[in-house]
Amino acid sequence: MKRTVYKKSINDNNYLKIEIEGENIFCHFKEEDFGKYKIIRFTMSPESEEKVVLNNLIVTVRTPIIDIHGISIPGKVNNPYLYILPWYVEEYINLYKEFPFVSLINRKGENKFSIGIKDPRLGFKLSGKIFEKSEEFEMNISSVSSIVSKSLDFEIFISDYPDTWFEITGEYSNWANSQQDRLPDWMYDPVYCSWYAFYQEVNQDHLEHVAQEAYNLGFKIFILDDGWFTFDNNRGYWYTGDWEVYKGKFPNFKKHVENVQKIGMKYVLWVAPFMFGKKSKNYELLSKYSVKTRDNLGFEDLCPQSNFTKYRIVNVLSKLLTKYNLDGFKLDFIDDLPVEPCLNDFHEHFTDNPSHGVESILKEIKQKLEEASNKQLILEFRQQYANPLLKDYSTAFRAADTPFDFDQNRRRIINIRSFSGSFPVYSDPIVWKKGESTENISRHFISCIFSVPMLSVDLLKLDEREKKVIKFWTDFFMKNRETLLFGKFVPEFSCGDFTQAFAFSQYEKKLIIALYTKNVLSFENLKEFLSDTSEMYILNGSNNRELIILDDSINKRTIDLEIFDPVVGLKSKLKQEFSKFLKIDLGIGNILKITL
């Protein structure tokens, strides 16, 4: 076996090493500098007429532990390393599970060193550890499977540019997939989902009344989640895989979909395409193509490397789409598939690589379904398999499940937005228990305000107070959507958390600021935007009623202030002269509008 080693000093402190092990390999390396980052490209071509055999690829970076206090791994849903430099970290990654990019950061969230691989299809292990003796931190990205090909091309992203991890992740994402086209406006409309409100206890008549109320409150997309195909309401997946509508809950599903669409909503259906339950009618047939078993939840996964799986999934989704005139699918549990290649000899494989298999199936789904429906469809992916490359096969990334927890929802949304560009990002459905305070309901929406808000409560059981709060925030979102989703978005990061965030639109001359962990706002970091701002909105998602503004830029200038309460609307209007320090009794969950 031949071993090729490529070493490079990034600067006086950091170095990179690439190790390639395999057979019949000739390597050619090329470097390009793009200012904020560098790209190392290397091609593996055969030395003889035989194919290239790559057994192992290892990319190693070592850097001294100077002003390094954490690690950003944007593909990881719950990343505890944003505020901890761990002794050891290990993640397994491929096309449908996270993505191979990592940044070493300081407490301000500034990038000290980043490294990423463009193509995660091969499958990688990302690991890192502290070397105490040399006072260094080492990161490794290594392949987890071998590959045989006529030739192989790899590209590596490296950056020591002193920008925030959020901005550097955006640079990586744009490089990994430059396709950033904005989707039609209706794909950014507020979403209602049935899951947390009803779980599997759904029925046709009730949902149609809920859909009407959802539309009245500003929601334009309706997602029917799990439970539509089974009588079982016990939260398991024993009856998945047949994907036939259970008539005991939906006696006329086609008419039901039509009724919801007539209200004015798009209709999206939950499906876990690779999943089949142990009590499904087709279990015996499908079990021949099993690649993984989840006994505790009662289901198995179909092998993504099999043509049978591809044909079955595309056929099932196409039939559902055309039979019921659906507007799309929520595609779930794709990340449940194993990273390692399938070793089941009882069925054929069209590829040795599970990532290639998943990509081929997702590509076929998007292409065949849009051809069958002759319209653009909603295809929602969950955060665990949200990454730059999968933007080609989906139309929205949703924050991973975090019911009742608006802080975690905020963190996950900001994480996705670091690599989403103009791609739709859905919040995890907002949900609260009956009796929740107005302030906390508003903080749910404030935490999700820089994403497409998704809601999942039983709207027919709400009081007028709750409905007013919902309508207030959906109206605010739609009125300011251009700034919130497509303006310059900047989250403030400190010691592992997002303390506030703002979005600025020069076109609309709007600046929208959301406060999360503190009630003090300094205009120091906003100076470059204030001269082009005519309307400023400050959303109080903190724990304090009072808002304190520190300012030098508009000192002794009289400005118009308006305070909005989600229940009563406009609460008060006043003129105020700024004098470096301003204290306002704003109220938790309320908005201060400043007209400059």
Side-chain angles (χ1 to χ4, degrees):
M1 181 162 52
K2 184 177 179 180
R3 182 170 179 265
T4 301
V5 178
Y6 173 89
K7 291 184 178 181
K8 174 179 175 59
S9 294
I10 308 302
N11 51 38
D12 293 338
N13 296 317
N14 306 313
Y15 82 86
L16 170 80
K17 180 170 69 173
I18 301 171
E19 300 172 79
I20 299 167
E21 297 178 345
E23 300 171 15
N24 197 37
I25 296 177
F26 173 78
C27 295
H28 174 72
F29 294 88
K30 181 182 178 181
E31 297 178 24
E32 288 188 77
D33 192 330
F34 292 89
K36 290 188 176 183
Y37 60 89
K38 297 179 177 65
I39 301 300
I40 300 175
R41 296 183 171 91
F42 51 103
T43 301
M44 288 174 257
S45 55
E47 291 181 317
S48 67
E49 294 182 359
E50 300 296 322
K51 292 183 177 180
V52 167
V53 179
L54 175 64
N55 293 321
N56 204 5
L57 168 65
I58 304 171
V59 181
T60 302
V61 171
R62 272 209 187 191
T63 186
I65 304 175
I66 300 174
D67 195 28
I68 293 175
H69 305 104
I71 307 175
S72 167
I73 309 175
K76 188 172 177 60
V77 171
N78 295 317
N79 182 13
Y81 311 124
L82 283 173
Y83 57 92
I84 296 172
L85 187 64
W87 287 99
Y88 184 74
V89 59
E90 182 176 282
E91 301 288 331
Y92 283 88
I93 290 163
N94 67 358
L95 181 69
Y96 48 88
K97 192 170 294 186
E98 305 183 20
F99 54 97
F101 176 72
V102 62
S103 300
L104 297 171
I105 62 174
N106 64 15
R107 293 185 75 182
K108 295 180 182 178
E110 294 170 337
N111 172 57
K112 307 305 291 186
F113 193 86
S114 297
I115 182 168
I117 291 180
K118 187 171 189 175
D119 187 350
R121 295 175 182 88
L122 183 59
F124 293 94
K125 181 177 78 171
L126 190 156
S127 59
K129 60 182 177 180
I130 292 174
F131 282 84
E132 290 179 88
K133 191 172 183 179
S134 63
E135 300 171 330
E136 293 177 305
F137 197 86
E138 180 178 285
M139 291 297 308
N140 288 286
I141 302 177
S142 56
S143 58
V144 297
S145 60
S146 60
I147 187 170
V148 178
S149 181
K150 292 181 180 179
S151 64
L152 294 169
D153 295 300
F154 282 93
E155 297 178 63
I156 295 175
F157 174 107
I158 54 175
S159 175
D160 60 353
Y161 190 81
D163 215 334
T164 67
W165 72 265
F166 186 91
E167 293 291 336
I168 293 297
T169 302
E171 296 285 347
Y172 165 81
S173 177
N174 292 336
W175 164 74
N177 185 358
S178 60
Q179 183 64 30
Q180 299 289 326
D181 291 344
R182 182 167 163 175
L183 297 177
D185 284 349
W186 61 266
M187 287 194 170
Y188 302 87
D189 285 340
V191 183
Y192 181 85
C193 177
S194 67
W195 180 239
Y196 294 139
F198 309 108
Y199 296 103
Q200 294 171 317
E201 298 179 26
V202 290
N203 71 75
Q204 180 169 331
D205 184 63
H206 187 74
L207 285 182
E208 288 177 22
H209 286 91
V210 169
Q212 180 64 67
E213 190 64 27
Y215 181 80
N216 294 342
L217 293 174
F219 296 88
K220 302 293 182 64
I221 298 172
F222 183 90
I223 297 179
L224 174 57
D225 214 291
D226 186 7
W228 56 270
F229 51 85
T230 178
F231 64 90
D232 183 43
N233 294 330
N234 294 312
R235 298 288 305 277
Y237 300 97
W238 286 269
Y239 296 94
T240 54
D242 297 323
W243 307 119
E244 297 172 353
V245 175
Y246 175 57
K247 292 189 178 296
K249 295 178 178 178
F250 298 92
N252 189 339
F253 192 67
K254 185 173 184 178
K255 183 64 175 175
H256 163 67
V257 173
E258 182 182 330
N259 288 342
V260 174
Q261 290 169 333
K262 282 181 178 178
I263 291 170
M265 303 187 79
K266 302 290 185 181
Y267 201 106
V268 177
L269 191 64
W270 179 90
V271 176
F274 292 93
M275 180 189 290
F276 65 99
K278 292 178 177 293
K279 295 183 180 180
S280 60
K281 291 189 297 184
N282 292 299
Y283 177 75
E284 291 301 322
L285 168 66
L286 300 178
S287 62
K288 298 175 184 178
Y289 300 89
S290 177
V291 71
K292 181 181 178 182
T293 299
R294 292 282 295 273
D295 288 329
N296 61 320
L297 293 175
F299 75 89
E300 298 181 27
D301 287 311
L302 292 170
C303 173
Q305 299 165 228
S306 168
N307 272 312
F308 172 86
T309 300
K310 181 193 291 188
Y311 173 80
R312 176 172 176 79
I313 288 175
V314 173
N315 187 51
V316 165
L317 295 181
S318 296
K319 284 183 176 179
L320 287 169
L321 182 76
T322 55
K323 184 175 182 179
Y324 301 114
N325 190 31
L326 301 170
D327 296 299
F329 293 97
K330 173 181 177 177
L331 298 176
D332 214 348
F333 282 89
I334 295 174
D335 59 307
D336 194 69
L337 296 168
V339 175
E340 301 80 9
C342 176
L343 301 178
N344 189 339
D345 294 329
F346 290 100
H347 60 260
E348 47 72 39
H349 291 143
F350 68 86
T351 177
D352 294 330
N353 186 309
S355 287
H356 285 148
V358 169
E359 183 177 39
S360 177
I361 292 169
L362 295 178
K363 183 178 181 180
E364 193 93 350
I365 287 171
K366 195 167 191 297
Q367 179 181 334
K368 297 295 185 184
L369 267 56
E370 289 186 348
E371 287 176 0
S373 64
N374 196 30
K375 60 184 177 182
Q376 198 161 6
L377 301 172
I378 295 172
L379 297 172
E380 183 212 280
F381 284 11
R382 190 153 45 104
Q383 186 172 0
Q384 286 88 332
Y385 39 99
N387 65 55
L389 292 187
L390 288 190
K391 284 190 277 190
D392 289 341
Y393 311 114
S394 57
T395 62
F397 292 152
R398 175 181 60 85
D401 301 31
T402 176
F404 306 103
D405 188 343
F406 51 75
D407 286 320
Q408 194 70 298
N409 214 353
R410 174 183 79 246
R411 296 175 188 121
R412 293 176 178 182
I413 288 164
I414 293 175
N415 195 9
I416 301 174
R417 285 213 55 178
S418 71
F419 59 87
S420 64
S422 61
F423 198 73
V425 176
Y426 292 171
S427 73
D428 191 51
I430 296 169
V431 59
W432 61 85
K433 183 174 175 58
K434 187 67 178 173
E436 184 58 272
S437 68
T438 299
E439 290 82 2
N440 278 338
I441 295 172
S442 284
R443 287 200 283 192
H444 273 289
F445 283 96
I446 293 172
S447 288
C448 300
I449 202 64
F450 299 107
S451 68
V452 177
M454 186 186 293
L455 181 70
S456 186
V457 293
D458 188 344
L459 300 177
L460 303 185
K461 294 182 179 180
L462 299 184
D463 57 36
E464 287 306 309
R465 171 189 64 94
E466 292 169 299
K467 291 180 183 179
K468 285 181 178 179
V469 175
I470 294 170
K471 189 67 166 66
F472 175 88
W473 286 110
T474 55
D475 284 350
F476 180 84
F477 171 78
M478 291 301 293
K479 181 182 177 182
N480 298 285
R481 181 171 62 176
E482 187 68 28
T483 297
L484 292 167
L485 301 187
F486 307 109
K488 170 70 173 176
F489 178 59
V490 180
E492 180 182 286
F493 178 90
S494 178
C495 302
D497 203 0
F498 305 102
T499 57
Q500 66 181 48
F502 71 84
F504 169 74
S505 170
Q506 188 172 27
Y507 170 74
E508 293 198 316
K509 296 189 178 301
K510 285 182 183 178
L511 182 61
I512 301 175
I513 306 160
L515 306 180
Y516 298 122
T517 63
K518 59 184 180 180
N519 67 324
V520 178
L521 175 64
S522 172
F523 283 175
E524 181 66 29
N525 297 329
L526 304 174
K527 283 184 177 179
E528 64 177 292
F529 307 106
L530 290 176
S531 61
D532 291 322
T533 298
S534 59
E535 289 183 359
M536 181 189 306
Y537 297 87
I538 302 172
L539 286 53
N540 186 14
S542 75
N543 290 324
N544 300 278
R545 287 189 55 85
E546 291 184 330
L547 168 66
I548 298 171
I549 299 177
L550 306 177
D551 173 56
D552 286 324
S553 59
I554 51 178
N555 186 28
K556 294 184 179 179
R557 177 178 173 185
T558 301
I559 57 176
D560 294 319
L561 303 178
E562 296 173 276
I563 295 176
F564 292 88
D565 180 293
V567 176
V568 303
L570 179 60
K571 187 176 180 180
S572 61
K573 296 179 68 173
L574 61 151
K575 289 185 178 292
Q576 181 71 46
E577 185 178 275
F578 269 60
S579 56
K580 296 187 178 181
F581 176 90
L582 180 64
K583 182 188 291 187
I584 300 172
D585 183 15
L586 177 56
I588 298 171
N590 291 350
I591 294 178
L592 175 67
K593 179 183 178 182
I594 301 176
T595 303
L596 299 175

